[in-house]
Amino acid sequence: MANELFSVANKRQVDEQNIYHQSGLLLNSDLSYLDANMLMMDGSEEVHVRLSSRLVLIDYFTKVSYPDNSIISLANVKYLVLFSDSLSDSPNDMQAKFEFRNAARAVTWSVECTLTAVELALLADFDRDGVVDKTPDQKGEWSWGTKGVGAVLLVNSDRDTAHPSLHFRDRLDRRVNGPMDLADMTPLVVRFSAPQGLDLTHAELRISTSDAAASRMRVFDISQSIPGPLVGPGYAVAQLPAQTGERQLVVEGLDYPDATFSGLITLALVLECAGVTYQGDGVVLRVAPWLALPNTQPVQRLYIAEMRDESNRTTINDIITLAKTAGVELVIVPPKINRDDTWLQDEIEIGYTSRPGKTIPVVLDSPRDRELDDFPEIMLLGPDFGYVTRSSGEPVNSLDSFGNLDCTPPHTGPQGSFPFGRIIFGGSQPDARKGRRMMKTVSDFLYAQQVQYPIELFSDWLTVGHIDEFMSFVPTSDDVGFRLVLASPIVAYQVLETLMANGHGEVLFMPGKRHERSVKDLLADRRLKDQNKKFQDHINNNKSILIREMGLSTSQIIHLPALYFANQGEGRADAYFPGMVNMQVLGKHLAIPKPFGPQVDGQCAFEAEVRRQFEPLGLMCHFIDTYEGYHLRLGEIHCGTNVIRKPFDTPWWHFIPK
């Protein structure tokens, strides 16, 4: 849109015929709005339009086109917009005349315009095919879905160059750090066309955004030998010379969507000529969200921490064998980096972000910030591997660790279709007056990504308080594609009672370990049974939430033997034997904590029950000894490992959030 030529304020008596003469620029084929309501205040009821051959007048709302020599009733229109179908060949080569008449068809006033048609466009990849569009149809909007429009912007959260600061990311400086950094940014093109001879001596282009949006992004002019930032934090407006041709710009995102940031950014481009501002063009960009990945996605790399005291050496040896069998790259994090903190899953969650033509893994660092705090910056952050964290002044509790963060597989249920799954995290009961919850800064971040709308469960009944202590997901090759796996004291007691009924009551449970006792003694422990009844109720309530949210049937749920005991403090639950649900999923290979259950005929009864349920689904069970290095420290194999999974092939912008 160009400057408004018609308004009550600028009408004036020029001569006896009330003719107002104006010359100006017809910018982007859109001259001005004529406010019919204002014009009718002067008694005008119709307008007679005379136009040069390349000009067309259109009703802004109905899109009805009015050709040269039209007589238009002002009662039927509100806003009229003047278009040109091409640029001017020379300055002032187009004319438009608007003659307004009253009910008696007497001329009330008229406007004669001498115009020059120029073009000013701000171009980006609006159709999301990875290429800047030269002639886009819808530039001033952003919409979701396969037919949606609008450019996508990555947060420049990786590190493409060496830097002395361990925590440095490319988003933290005001420069383009070489060609790899440039590839992380979204290209824009400023195109300005005008006929030869047009006086642009006092003209300039101006690109701008809001102060709030400027704090979330930077625009660089890469047509310069040393690209400098035009727009960014602290400077929302920048000037460019009014030179014809194309100018190459790029945009980097600085922040992911959050509670105070929708992810949408609008950039405006205007032409200022001889003190008159012509509204040129604008684009809307959306910052790509951070996405988590479910167990159903293939594994690209597996991490495990090596303890200085070698307490987890047995576990590592088992994992080395499994990684070779599963064909997964294994990385062992040395003590000098892990600093005797074994809980890799608690420290980080590895997801990804993407725009058309570019996908990178991004680690979300928890506010836990214990001995493993520097691990993601040392071993993950780098070229095309991003980093983001969320924390605040709130006190950190165990539920802020990311054993308490998971993602469902893709599914369709009562709440709609979720092709990227949904985030899951645990907290206290919704109506609880006190209890532990995930830090609001973190949960706000998870909700703000929109694509994987979270499901909140009750995990505060556990001492550690992580959802991976009672649930997981495994992939399957059937039409469903996955199973929900839940810990089940009921199934554990069923296995034990079957053993007792078959004459195996004297067989030892967990021989040589803490809690060693016979099957008979275990079944006779009324206090333990009552505790597990209560804990089973909590698991059942969480199951009901997942069924309601995901639309699961009972056939899509697997229940694994598990027992808990109430600790001596607040009565929260700890795993009585290694929790098998706390597994690491490596495709069809499952790394399951070895339960050390009762041995009958050379086979663990609990392992046999697990194989019975998993193997018909094509899943292979590998029982990993986690007792010394993990179980006695209130964790298992999922808590003590982490994985990089393959991102989804489907673009997230095809999703339509509710």
Side-chain angles (χ1 to χ4, degrees):
M1 295 179 293
N3 64 312
E4 293 195 12
L5 297 181
F6 307 101
S7 71
V8 173
N10 68 16
K11 285 197 303 183
R12 54 197 172 123
Q13 301 288 331
V14 176
D15 53 33
E16 293 180 357
Q17 295 181 327
N18 298 341
I19 297 176
Y20 174 34
H21 297 271
Q22 169 111 12
S23 64
L25 299 177
L26 183 61
L27 191 62
N28 290 357
S29 307
D30 182 353
L31 171 68
S32 175
Y33 295 110
L34 283 69
D35 189 332
N37 290 335
M38 287 184 174
L39 300 173
M40 292 174 68
M41 291 171 59
D42 290 351
S44 302
E45 294 191 4
E46 66 181 25
V47 58
H48 181 208
V49 180
R50 300 305 308 270
L51 305 171
S52 294
S53 60
R54 289 184 289 179
L55 296 178
V56 177
L57 196 66
I58 294 180
D59 187 311
Y60 177 75
F61 291 109
T62 67
K63 308 306 179 185
V64 173
S65 176
Y66 297 101
D68 177 45
N69 209 31
S70 294
I71 297 177
I72 306 168
S73 170
L74 297 178
N76 298 327
V77 298
K78 183 171 179 61
Y79 293 102
L80 297 172
V81 184
L82 190 61
F83 284 84
S84 170
D85 61 10
S86 62
L87 297 174
S88 288
D89 297 320
S90 60
N92 301 319
D93 64 349
M94 297 182 183
Q95 289 79 39
K97 181 176 180 179
F98 303 88
E99 189 176 78
F100 296 87
R101 302 170 179 170
N102 59 21
R105 310 211 69 175
V107 175
T108 54
W109 71 292
S110 64
V111 178
E112 294 179 358
C113 302
T114 302
L115 302 166
T116 305
V118 301
E119 180 192 28
L120 181 59
L122 186 56
L123 306 174
D125 178 17
F126 302 106
D127 60 5
R128 304 169 193 160
D129 64 353
V131 180
V132 173
D133 299 309
K134 295 300 183 181
T135 55
D137 295 325
Q138 296 170 298
K139 296 180 291 184
E141 61 181 89
W142 204 99
S143 55
W144 299 83
T146 56
K147 296 182 180 179
V149 295
V152 177
L153 181 63
L154 284 184
V155 175
N156 198 4
S157 61
D158 66 349
R159 182 170 62 208
D160 288 316
T161 59
H163 195 278
S165 171
L166 182 65
H167 298 275
F168 174 78
R169 284 97 75 196
D170 290 337
R171 61 177 289 277
L172 298 177
D173 66 8
R174 301 175 66 250
R175 56 182 294 180
V176 177
N177 298 293
M180 293 185 66
D181 193 22
L182 187 63
D184 296 333
M185 303 182 189
T186 295
L188 297 177
V189 173
V190 173
R191 188 167 66 202
F192 180 46
S193 302
Q196 288 188 340
L198 184 64
D199 184 8
L200 297 173
T201 305
H202 302 291
E204 68 176 12
L205 306 180
R206 189 164 66 244
I207 187 169
S208 65
T209 189
S210 67
D211 289 337
S215 68
R216 309 288 188 174
M217 45 76 78
R218 286 192 188 93
V219 179
F220 293 93
D221 182 358
I222 60 172
S223 64
Q224 301 175 352
S225 57
I226 301 179
L230 294 173
V231 176
Y235 40 100
V237 182
Q239 285 73 40
L240 295 170
Q243 298 173 344
T244 57
E246 293 188 348
R247 180 176 290 266
Q248 306 296 317
L249 310 178
V250 291
V251 191
E252 68 171 351
L254 303 182
D255 290 309
Y256 287 94
D258 219 323
T260 59
F261 176 44
S262 69
L264 288 174
I265 290 173
T266 299
L267 283 171
L269 181 67
V270 302
L271 170 67
E272 188 172 278
C273 188
V276 179
T277 299
Y278 297 87
Q279 303 297 322
D281 203 0
V283 299
V284 180
L285 308 100
R286 180 178 287 278
V287 175
W290 177 86
L291 298 179
L293 288 162
N295 287 349
T296 48
Q297 289 299 106
V299 175
Q300 297 176 325
R301 190 177 302 151
L302 171 66
Y303 293 86
I304 189 168
E306 179 183 22
M307 294 295 97
R308 197 182 311 273
D309 63 5
E310 297 195 342
S311 59
N312 68 338
R313 173 48 55 187
T314 300
T315 306
I316 289 178
N317 290 339
D318 287 348
I319 287 294
I320 289 173
T321 301
L322 173 56
K324 290 178 180 178
T325 302
V328 173
E329 178 188 358
L330 175 64
V331 176
I332 298 176
V333 182
K336 66 179 181 180
I337 293 177
N338 67 58
R339 295 183 296 180
D340 288 329
D341 184 354
T342 191
W343 308 117
L344 286 170
Q345 177 59 47
D346 288 346
E347 184 63 35
I348 61 171
E349 180 73 18
I350 302 173
Y352 76 103
T353 190
S354 66
R355 65 163 170 80
K358 184 81 174 185
T359 298
I360 64 170
V362 178
V363 55
L364 175 61
D365 194 358
S366 78
R368 174 178 180 264
D369 294 347
R370 285 166 55 180
E371 289 82 359
L372 270 166
D373 186 37
D374 291 336
F375 157 70
E377 290 96 327
I378 295 173
M379 296 193 68
L380 299 179
L381 175 61
D384 285 345
F385 205 121
Y387 171 96
V388 62
T389 188
R390 284 294 182 273
S391 63
S392 68
E394 302 173 63
V396 177
N397 68 72
S398 180
L399 273 65
D400 297 318
S401 298
F402 286 166
N404 193 35
L405 175 63
D406 206 342
C407 181
T408 77
H411 63 275
T412 298
Q415 309 306 320
S417 178
F418 292 90
F420 305 92
R422 295 177 67 180
I423 291 289
I424 304 180
F425 61 87
S428 60
Q429 294 280 37
D431 57 351
R433 292 186 178 182
K434 64 178 182 178
R436 298 170 299 173
R437 294 182 181 273
M438 179 178 282
M439 186 181 292
K440 187 175 185 300
T441 303
V442 178
S443 61
D444 283 349
F445 172 84
L446 298 172
Y447 273 100
Q449 308 313 305
Q450 297 190 64
V451 177
Q452 299 173 310
Y453 193 78
I455 300 172
E456 296 189 41
L457 300 178
F458 173 44
S459 65
D460 194 30
W461 59 277
L462 292 149
T463 300
V464 176
H466 295 177
I467 59 174
D468 68 357
E469 297 177 78
F470 67 86
M471 63 163 290
S472 184
F473 293 95
V474 294
T476 60
S477 57
D478 56 16
D479 292 340
V480 177
F482 69 93
R483 294 291 187 275
L484 168 64
V485 184
L486 293 174
S488 175
I490 287 179
V491 171
Y493 277 109
Q494 288 173 347
V495 172
L496 295 171
E497 287 166 357
T498 299
L499 291 174
M500 184 71 178
N502 291 334
H504 301 296
E506 300 303 324
V507 174
L508 289 181
F509 166 81
M510 296 190 74
K513 313 288 185 186
R514 183 184 69 174
H515 297 150
E516 175 188 324
R517 60 201 306 187
S518 69
V519 170
K520 179 181 178 180
D521 288 345
L522 191 59
L523 287 173
D525 190 334
R526 175 53 58 184
R527 182 183 179 193
L528 183 66
K529 188 170 287 188
D530 289 343
Q531 289 174 355
N532 275 278
K533 183 179 184 303
K534 180 179 70 171
F535 298 144
Q536 181 71 69
D537 288 342
H538 296 324
I539 295 171
N540 289 344
N541 289 337
N542 284 316
K543 179 173 71 171
S544 297
I545 294 172
L546 292 168
I547 289 173
R548 182 185 71 230
E549 293 293 321
M550 299 178 65
L552 300 175
S553 65
T554 55
S555 64
Q556 294 171 265
I557 303 174
I558 293 174
H559 300 88
L560 300 188
L563 289 177
Y564 302 91
F565 69 96
N567 63 34
Q568 295 297 318
E570 297 178 319
R572 290 188 170 101
D574 294 336
Y576 195 78
F577 62 88
M580 294 183 288
V581 75
N582 193 280
M583 65 183 71
Q584 187 58 268
V585 179
L586 308 175
K588 293 183 179 181
H589 297 271
L590 308 180
I592 304 172
K594 187 175 183 62
F596 298 100
Q599 293 275 332
V600 176
D601 297 329
Q603 186 178 33
C604 171
F606 287 158
E607 289 184 18
E609 172 63 19
V610 172
R611 294 185 191 278
R612 183 188 70 80
Q613 299 200 64
F614 280 145
E615 288 181 351
L617 298 172
L619 298 170
M620 287 167 271
C621 302
H622 304 265
F623 292 95
I624 308 297
D625 185 348
T626 63
Y627 187 78
E628 293 291 339
Y630 299 90
H631 175 70
L632 293 179
R633 300 176 182 180
L634 303 184
E636 308 293 355
I637 195 64
H638 185 263
C639 309
T641 57
N642 215 304
V643 291
I644 299 176
R645 298 189 183 274
K646 183 180 181 295
F648 289 105
D649 293 326
T650 303
W652 59 264
W653 50 88
H654 286 181
F655 178 67
I656 302 178
K658 295 190 175 183

